[in-house]
Amino acid sequence: MLTHALLQHLPALDAAQWSTAAERFVAARGNGLPRRVQKSICSETLAILTDSRFGSLFGPMSQAEVPIVAEIPRPAGQKGPPLRLTGQIDRLAVTGDKVMIVDYKTNRRPAAAVADVADVYLYQLAAYRLALSSIFKGKDIQAMLLWTEGAKILEIPKAVLDNYAARLWQLDPARLDA
């Protein structure tokens, strides 16, 4: 995915290099794509990286494509095996007492509200949040979806994540692939 790769690698470069680097990267990796599509990918990505709302997400205390493997015990009083989680967090940023989990959505229209977000994304973010809560004890863990189309970010309320987290153990593990 070209947009993911750009969002992963461009922040490591000086901002003055982003445009040229993005164009070269997309031209090389997306050489079969029409020129207008290549330009769209670059402008969409650069719109996100230059938007001040997202500064902390792509700052020095952030990481891209963070692998996560966790074994999350069941809530107290529940019997059965723990939840085993394997996934990759698109963007993870730690600033002060806050941890931000960001999942990118490309080639999709942004959801107007949390109620419009697919359950699978909410389960995924709830599981990531549970896993990170044992690593970042005492920190406020926020989970967000970032649509590259229109540079829209949607923070998922903690109550919604708590609700999905409580239901994780009711899912068929064979169908849960974060």
Side-chain angles (χ1 to χ4, degrees):
M1 176 86 51
L2 294 172
T3 304
H4 275 244
L6 289 172
L7 290 171
Q8 177 180 358
H9 297 293
L10 287 179
L13 302 176
D14 182 78
Q17 299 174 317
W18 288 350
S19 182
T20 302
E23 289 172 10
R24 287 182 180 161
F25 180 83
V26 172
R29 295 276 177 98
N31 63 357
L33 296 173
R35 182 72 182 129
R36 66 175 171 69
V37 173
Q38 291 181 24
K39 283 183 145 206
S40 175
I41 291 168
C42 291
S43 63
E44 196 173 83
T45 303
L46 293 172
I48 290 167
L49 292 176
T50 58
D51 190 319
S52 62
R53 295 177 297 159
F54 310 130
S56 60
L57 297 178
F58 297 97
M61 298 305 291
S62 69
Q63 296 179 320
E65 305 299 326
V66 178
I68 185 167
V69 177
E71 189 170 278
I72 304 167
R74 286 183 175 262
Q78 288 190 16
K79 292 184 179 181
L83 175 70
R84 288 182 177 85
L85 172 69
T86 304
Q88 191 155 309
I89 298 171
D90 291 338
R91 197 85 194 172
L92 180 68
V94 181
T95 58
D97 63 347
K98 189 184 331 183
V99 176
M100 294 171 280
I101 303 164
V102 181
D103 191 47
Y104 305 141
K105 297 298 162 213
T106 55
N107 300 324
R108 293 179 181 94
R109 291 203 182 273
V114 174
D116 301 325
V117 174
D119 283 348
V120 67
Y121 303 142
L122 298 173
Y123 280 118
Q124 176 185 10
L125 290 172
Y128 287 169
R129 183 171 165 250
L130 273 176
L132 292 178
S133 67
S134 65
I135 297 169
F136 296 102
K137 291 185 187 304
K139 291 193 182 274
D140 178 29
I141 301 177
Q142 300 173 331
M144 302 164 220
L145 294 169
L146 174 61
W147 282 269
T148 58
E149 183 179 314
K152 180 178 179 188
I153 195 156
L154 180 64
E155 183 176 350
I156 309 302
K158 290 173 181 37
V160 171
L161 293 169
D162 290 344
N163 179 28
Y164 277 83
R167 297 177 3 210
L168 279 168
W169 285 269
Q170 299 165 6
L171 298 174
D172 177 0
R175 294 181 51 207
L176 187 62
D177 183 16

